[in-house]
Amino acid sequence: SEMCIRDSNNIVLLTSSDGSVHLFSKASSSYANCVIQHQKYYPGNKTFTAAKNISNQLTPDYKKFATLKNSQIAINGNHIVVVYVFGKNFAMDVQLVESHDGGNSWLKPIYVAKNKERENRNNPSVVLEDTGRVYVAYSARWCTRLAVKEPGSREFTSDTLLHDTKNENTGILGISYDRKSSKRYLHFIWQGRPKSIYFNGIFYVKSSDGGKTWSKPTAILLVTYAAAFTTAAVGTEGGIVVQEVYQYSLRFEWSANHGETWGKKLKLEREIRLVNGFAMCEKGSEKRLFTFTKSPRGETFLDFWKSGEEGFKRLEYPFPEFDKLAEPYAGCGIDLSLIHICRCRRYAVCRSRWSPYH
C-alpha cells in the first residue's frame, strides 16, 4: 500500500461475535493527510483482507487529536460504527462512518457534530446499542454533549448537554444490560472539576431512559492533586472499572452491579512506571481485570484479578525477558482487547512468541 502507519498508537484490534478480527488504523502518505483504514481477518484465513479507506481525508492537529482509540469504535454483530475527528486548527468536527455487513462495505461518513463559532468538537466516545441506536459523547468548549442516532437513520436527531464540568477530555461512555429486569443503562465516567467544587475528581453518571435523563453525578474520587484518570471499562453484564494513576501508584474503583454500589478500592502494591495495557472482560457475574505494567526497575508484569465472593483476587505473571528491552521501547505493550473469558484455550502474544494461558 502507498499509505503508511506512522504510529502504533493509531492501531485498534477488535473482535466480533463470529470470531473475525477487525483491524483499524490511521494511515497517511504525509503528516498532513491521512485516512482511517479497515482490514478484516476471518477464522481459517492466512492473512487480513486488503485495507479499505473508510473515512474522509483527515488533516488533524497531531499534537492533540492524532490517536485512534478503542472508545471511538463499537461492534455489535455485523453492525460496526467508527467516530473520528475531522478538520484542523479551530475547525474540528466529529464524523461517523458505519457498516451493516461486518465491514465488507461502508456507508458514506455523516456528521455527528459540526464546530460552531470556531469551537472545536472533539474527543468522541461511542456506544452501539443492540437495537442499532448509536450514542456519541464529545467535548465542546469546557462541556460534554451527547448525540443520538436512531436505528436506520442517516443523521443524529438528538444533541443534549451531558455535563459542564471543566475538563479537556470527554471521558468514557458505556452500556450495560440487566437481563433480569430487561433494563439497559448508559454509563459515563470522566475527570474534571465542577464549578461548585474546588477539588479535582473522577465522576460517574448513568441513565436508564436512553440518555434523556441522568442520575446525579457521583464522585468516585475527590482529590486536591491531579490524579491521572487513565481509562475506564464498562461491561455489558454490569461490571464497571475505573483505572487511576498517581505518581507510582495504580488503583481501581469498581462496581459489579451497574454502578448501584462501588466496592472496596483495588490497589497494586507494587510501584509502576507505565501502564501499557488494560482490559476487563466478564461472563455473567464473573469479572476479570488485566493490566500490563512496567516497574521503575524495568520489570514487566501482566497482572490478573478475578472476582469472587469477597471481591477481587490478584495473580501475577512476570515476564523477565522484557527486562532487557532498550529504553526507546519502554512504551511497548500488548493489545488486551482480544482477551475473553471462555472454556477453550486462548493465547497471548509477547515479542512474536505465542504463549498459552487459560
Side-chain angles (χ1 to χ4, degrees):
S1 174
E2 296 180 357
M3 308 299 283
C4 174
I5 299 173
R6 296 182 178 274
D7 185 355
S8 62
N9 287 331
N10 287 323
I11 300 175
V12 175
L13 279 172
L14 293 173
T15 58
S16 57
S17 56
D18 63 357
S20 57
V21 179
H22 298 269
L23 185 150
F24 300 88
S25 59
K26 187 179 288 184
S28 64
S29 55
S30 68
Y31 278 105
N33 200 12
C34 67
V35 297
I36 296 176
Q37 295 184 335
H38 170 260
Q39 294 174 261
K40 186 176 181 179
Y41 172 80
Y42 295 91
N45 284 12
K46 295 182 179 180
T47 185
F48 280 81
T49 59
K52 291 182 180 180
N53 295 343
I54 64 174
S55 73
N56 288 325
Q57 293 286 330
L58 307 177
T59 54
D61 177 350
Y62 270 83
K63 294 181 179 180
K64 193 172 183 180
F65 307 111
T67 304
L68 189 63
K69 303 175 183 177
N70 279 337
S71 61
Q72 295 173 243
I73 305 168
I75 297 178
N76 192 319
N78 285 326
H79 192 183
I80 307 173
V81 295
V82 181
V83 293
Y84 57 91
V85 176
F86 176 77
K88 62 180 179 179
N89 298 329
F90 293 98
M92 309 296 293
D93 305 318
V94 177
Q95 293 189 352
L96 174 143
V97 62
E98 63 182 330
S99 170
H100 291 275
D101 56 7
N104 296 325
S105 61
W106 294 84
L107 300 177
K108 291 183 178 180
I110 61 173
Y111 282 99
V112 177
K114 290 186 177 182
N115 75 87
K116 296 180 180 179
E117 299 177 354
R118 294 176 63 83
E119 293 182 5
N120 288 334
R121 303 292 187 257
N122 48 55
N123 300 317
S125 180
V126 64
V127 159
L128 176 58
E129 200 174 71
D130 56 2
T131 61
R133 185 180 288 113
V134 180
Y135 302 90
V136 179
Y138 65 93
S139 59
R141 192 176 177 83
W142 301 114
C143 72
T144 296
R145 302 189 66 85
L146 180 71
V148 182
K149 185 176 80 70
E150 296 298 329
S153 174
R154 287 292 292 156
E155 62 180 2
F156 282 79
T157 56
S158 174
D159 192 306
T160 58
L161 179 68
L162 187 54
H163 73 81
D164 60 356
T165 305
K166 282 190 173 183
N167 71 326
E168 293 186 1
N169 297 315
T170 300
I172 300 296
L173 189 66
I175 192 168
S176 66
Y177 304 93
D178 189 336
R179 310 298 179 183
K180 294 182 180 180
S181 62
S182 299
K183 290 184 178 180
R184 61 196 67 206
Y185 300 98
L186 281 176
H187 308 267
F188 188 70
I189 305 107
W190 78 96
Q191 178 181 353
R193 180 170 64 84
K195 297 177 181 178
S196 59
I197 299 179
Y198 172 75
F199 297 101
N200 290 297
I202 298 174
F203 298 91
Y204 164 79
V205 292
K206 77 174 181 179
S207 171
S208 58
D209 57 5
K212 296 178 181 178
T213 59
W214 293 84
S215 64
K216 185 178 179 181
T218 298
I220 299 176
L221 177 71
L222 282 177
V223 291
T224 55
Y225 54 80
F229 161 55
T230 54
T231 189
V234 179
T236 57
E237 300 291 337
I240 306 172
V241 176
V242 180
Q243 177 183 274
E244 60 196 44
V245 178
Y246 176 64
Q247 294 181 346
Y248 294 111
S249 175
L250 176 63
R251 299 175 297 185
F252 297 97
E253 312 285 345
W254 62 276
S255 171
N257 54 6
H258 306 274
E260 290 294 325
T261 59
W262 294 83
K264 184 179 179 180
K265 185 192 302 287
L266 298 177
K267 183 178 180 180
L268 186 62
E269 299 299 331
R270 184 183 65 255
E271 288 188 343
I272 67 162
R273 178 184 175 188
L274 293 170
V275 180
N276 293 330
F278 165 72
M280 180 192 73
C281 55
E282 56 187 355
K283 190 172 185 179
S285 61
E286 182 181 341
K287 322 292 180 186
R288 298 187 187 184
L289 307 180
F290 300 85
T291 59
F292 193 62
T293 59
K294 193 177 185 70
S295 73
R297 296 178 297 275
E299 302 166 312
T300 304
F301 294 90
L302 174 63
D303 294 288
F304 164 47
W305 284 266
K306 181 179 179 180
S307 63
E309 295 181 357
E310 299 180 357
F312 284 84
K313 180 180 179 181
R314 186 177 67 86
L315 301 175
E316 190 174 272
Y317 297 94
F319 292 94
E321 66 271 16
F322 279 85
D323 297 351
K324 300 179 181 179
L325 283 178
E327 186 63 24
Y329 296 94
C332 290
I334 57 175
D335 193 313
L336 298 178
S337 63
L338 300 179
I339 292 180
H340 296 273
I341 297 179
C342 56
R343 294 195 180 106
C344 64
R345 183 179 293 248
R346 290 289 180 178
Y347 294 85
V349 64
C350 303
R351 294 183 65 194
S352 301
R353 180 172 61 81
W354 290 87
S355 304
Y357 290 95
H358 285 287

